Amino acid sequence: MKLVLAPMEGLVDDVMREVLTRVGGIDLCVTEFVRVTSALLPTRTFMRLAPELGNQGNTSTGVPVRVQLLGSDAVCLAENGAKAASLGAPGVDLNFGCPAPTVNRHRGGAVLLNEPELLHQIVAAVRRAVPAAVPVTAKMRLGYEDKSKALECAQAIARGGADELTVHGRTKVEGYKPPAHWDWIARIREGVDIPVTANGEVWTLADYRAIREESGCDSVMIGRGLVACPDLALRIANGGAEQPIAWEAMIPWVREFFLLCRNKSGEERYPVARLKQWLGLLKRTWPEAERLFETIRREQDVVNIENILSSTQDK
């Protein structure tokens, strides 16, 4: 059984990975996508999106972070997969699920689910290029416009030599609109001979139990649900409390996140924007997060915000 933190562009970056893995319960992370077009990318590109490569591919608490690649050129993806492995990535993940229109227009992400044979070619090329000891994995949705090719795509990925497959239980067109079709994940799990990780619409302990039961998967990937409730993975791993930690226990993590964002970027707008973005999701779990958001809504000065967070923590 694994609990995997989902890669989410613009939301789950290295700072969010660091904080959430410190909270605990997460077994594996995947980076935001490294966009691959027609060139072998420089080391600095990989290090920018996966600074954990400087720590043997792990967060500070030892959670491995696989490097995710996005593109459609099999040869170029293979070269960059080999580069990621040479830099110490504990795994190379292939993105066949991103629903962003800009990405899809440039033949990346979920649009590739219209071309099962290309999926096979990409996975096979990357698998050949990456050392056998380094897992090559993939994440897919159930299709682009519909689910008619879902099983064909999954089998093409497995046939290409992927070690694991994560399935998000919605099509590109369905986006993130509930429900996620966990029964389709079960169909795919039964139709391939590699481990399948279930993903989609897991916000609570009850959701986690339900997706495991309906999909039949032992491993689950969670994205927005972990960002909105950072101790969810720890409660799952411990088989413990049904309810999230108290807001008072969450505030130090919010402040730590803000400070790490400040350390990451000298641009003052970055930590402010990231904090407000996170509070927007945290309020789904804690009403107090919405009150804090309202307190800092118009605030742009990082020192003032840090003082507000400190005073909130000290109450």
Side-chain angles (χ1 to χ4, degrees):
M1 186 273 283
K2 283 188 302 189
L3 287 170
V4 187
L5 176 61
M8 299 197 73
E9 183 70 11
L11 180 61
V12 183
D13 63 355
D14 59 298
V15 176
M16 186 64 77
R17 291 193 295 270
E18 178 65 18
V19 170
L20 295 184
T21 54
R22 284 190 197 175
V23 174
I26 296 169
D27 300 302
L28 177 68
C29 299
V30 183
T31 68
E32 297 171 284
F33 64 74
V34 178
R35 183 61 194 262
V36 174
T37 53
S38 58
L40 179 61
L41 297 170
T43 297
R44 66 176 179 275
T45 299
F46 290 94
M47 298 301 297
R48 176 173 57 84
L49 289 167
E52 295 94 344
L53 291 171
N55 187 42
Q56 298 181 315
N58 300 313
T59 66
S60 69
T61 54
V63 177
V65 181
R66 291 176 180 168
V67 173
Q68 180 190 188
L69 304 180
L70 179 145
S72 58
D73 185 318
V75 173
C76 200
L77 284 164
E79 292 174 348
N80 282 279
K83 175 73 173 279
S86 74
L87 293 173
V92 176
D93 190 69
L94 299 169
N95 182 322
F96 302 133
C98 180
T102 301
V103 168
N104 295 163
R105 280 198 301 271
H106 291 85
R107 210 182 178 203
V111 73
L112 298 182
L113 297 170
N114 290 326
E115 304 179 70
E117 187 53 39
L118 178 57
L119 300 183
H120 173 265
Q121 293 170 9
I122 290 171
V123 175
V126 175
R127 181 63 282 175
R128 286 193 298 268
V130 172
V134 179
V136 171
T137 61
K139 185 184 180 193
M140 61 173 278
R141 283 178 172 254
L142 297 178
Y144 190 75
E145 293 180 338
D146 58 48
K147 305 173 183 66
S148 60
K149 294 182 179 179
L151 186 55
E152 184 181 358
C153 286
Q155 290 172 338
I157 291 168
R159 196 174 68 250
D163 295 285
E164 300 171 15
L165 173 64
T166 297
V167 181
H168 181 105
R170 288 178 274 227
T171 64
K172 182 273 180 193
V173 171
E174 289 169 336
Y176 294 99
K177 183 180 178 181
H181 305 286
W182 299 335
D183 57 323
W184 272 87
I185 302 176
R187 296 188 199 186
I188 290 173
R189 180 187 59 79
E190 293 166 358
V192 298
D193 58 1
I194 59 174
V196 173
T197 297
N199 172 238
E201 211 60 24
V202 177
W203 298 92
T204 65
L205 272 174
D207 293 336
Y208 168 77
R209 292 168 182 145
I211 194 174
R212 285 197 64 186
E213 181 177 356
E214 190 164 347
S215 71
C217 296
D218 291 327
S219 297
V220 177
M221 175 181 278
I222 308 176
R224 293 172 298 157
L226 273 176
V227 178
C229 189
D231 76 321
L232 176 59
L234 186 61
R235 288 186 288 123
I236 290 171
N238 291 340
E242 292 284 334
Q243 298 302 317
I245 58 174
W247 176 244
E248 291 74 17
M250 188 59 213
I251 276 291
W253 293 115
V254 174
R255 184 169 180 267
E256 179 69 9
F257 175 78
F258 183 71
L259 294 176
L260 288 172
C261 286
R262 282 195 68 183
N263 291 337
K264 178 178 178 177
S265 173
E267 170 58 60
E268 290 202 354
R269 288 178 295 182
Y270 172 76
V272 175
R274 290 303 313 280
L275 176 62
K276 292 177 180 178
Q277 178 193 41
W278 196 21
L279 289 173
L281 273 165
L282 290 175
K283 68 184 182 183
R284 182 182 177 112
T285 304
W286 293 279
E288 296 93 337
E290 184 164 16
R291 291 196 284 273
L292 179 56
F293 177 85
E294 291 300 327
T295 300
I296 67 169
R297 177 193 286 273
R298 294 178 177 82
E299 187 61 71
Q300 296 297 326
D301 186 276
V302 293
V303 174
N304 289 344
I305 291 177
E306 186 173 341
N307 289 336
I308 291 169
L309 293 174
S310 296
S311 64
T312 302
Q313 181 177 338
D314 293 338
K315 286 182 179 177

